[in-house]
Amino acid sequence: MGKRWRCVFRGAAVMLVAGYLLVPRWQAVRQEQQRLMTPADELAGLQQKIQADPQNGALWALLGEYYLWRNAYGPALQAYRQALNTGEAPAQYYAALATVLYYQAGQQMTPAARTMLNRALELDPQEVTALMLQASSAFMQADYPQAIVLWQQILDTHSARINSRQIVDAINMARLMSTAQPAQSRTD
């Protein structure tokens, strides 16, 4: 009987691991690991594409995203500004530029970041990156009710660009922090 159960458990463990390796999340993690393992190749390929089509704002925006993910804020700003200089001006470019400025300033909403953020929202009031930046800023400033409102607005967009589970988790965290906030101020 003991040997049979060990075989059943081993079989179940193998099936669990195999099942996990087949889910899209695992595949996405693997793709991201591979992408991070070859940043020089990715950068070189992107630069070649930009040289071939320098007026392609989307390529410049990809370059900005590349640098932003590596916390290289100066080059990210240049790339996003170049994306805007191509004549394309989607709200996403302004929101991305605001995001770089925000992180470059140590997660502080500077006047320049606010200007870019406002421009993004003028072009598209439902621009997800701009709304996420607003919500994050509100949360960092302990304005939990505002962060909740903004995150709910993002959920209501039903955008494919969002991770609903993470946003729900953020809302729950803001609610928790909001209820803890009055208790903290009474003890101060």
Side-chain angles (χ1 to χ4, degrees), residues 6 9 20 30-31 41 63 72-73 113 126 134 143 148 177 179 181-182 184:
R6 279 193 297 258
F9 286 130
Y20 180 71
R30 289 292 299 153
Q31 287 173 347
D41 294 340
L63 183 62
Y73 301 123
Q126 299 300 313
Q134 275 189 314
D143 187 353
I148 292 167
M177 297 297 288
T179 59
Q181 195 172 27
Q184 288 176 347

Side-chain angles (χ1 to χ4, degrees), residues 40-51:
D41 294 340
E42 183 182 354
L43 178 59
L46 193 51
Q47 289 172 332
Q48 286 176 348
K49 289 177 185 177
I50 289 171
Q51 285 178 341

Side-chain angles (χ1 to χ4, degrees), residues 23-46:
V23 297
R25 186 172 181 96
W26 167 255
Q27 292 168 356
V29 167
R30 289 292 299 153
Q31 287 173 347
E32 182 64 11
Q33 286 175 336
Q34 289 172 345
R35 187 177 73 85
L36 292 175
M37 287 173 53
T38 58
D41 294 340
E42 183 182 354
L43 178 59
L46 193 51

Side-chain angles (χ1 to χ4, degrees), residues 56-58 60-61 78-90 93:
N56 187 327
W60 284 104
Q78 291 174 340
Y80 283 121
R81 286 183 176 135
Q82 190 59 42
L84 288 170
N85 287 337
T86 64
E88 298 176 33
Y93 295 178

Side-chain angles (χ1 to χ4, degrees), residues 84-135:
L84 288 170
N85 287 337
T86 64
E88 298 176 33
Q92 287 178 303
Y93 295 178
Y94 285 103
L97 193 53
T99 301
V100 174
L101 291 167
Y102 176 78
Y103 282 103
Q104 186 179 44
Q107 294 182 313
Q108 297 294 318
M109 191 58 71
T110 63
R114 174 70 57 203
T115 298
M116 294 297 116
L117 184 63
N118 290 341
R119 182 67 180 130
L121 292 169
E122 285 172 16
L123 292 171
D124 181 2
Q126 299 300 313
E127 209 302 300
V128 172
T129 302
L131 293 172
M132 287 292 289
L133 181 57
Q134 275 189 314

Side-chain angles (χ1 to χ4, degrees), residues 8-23 26:
V8 169
F9 286 130
R10 284 185 190 148
V14 167
M15 289 181 68
L16 283 172
V17 170
Y20 180 71
L21 294 177
L22 295 175
V23 297
W26 167 255

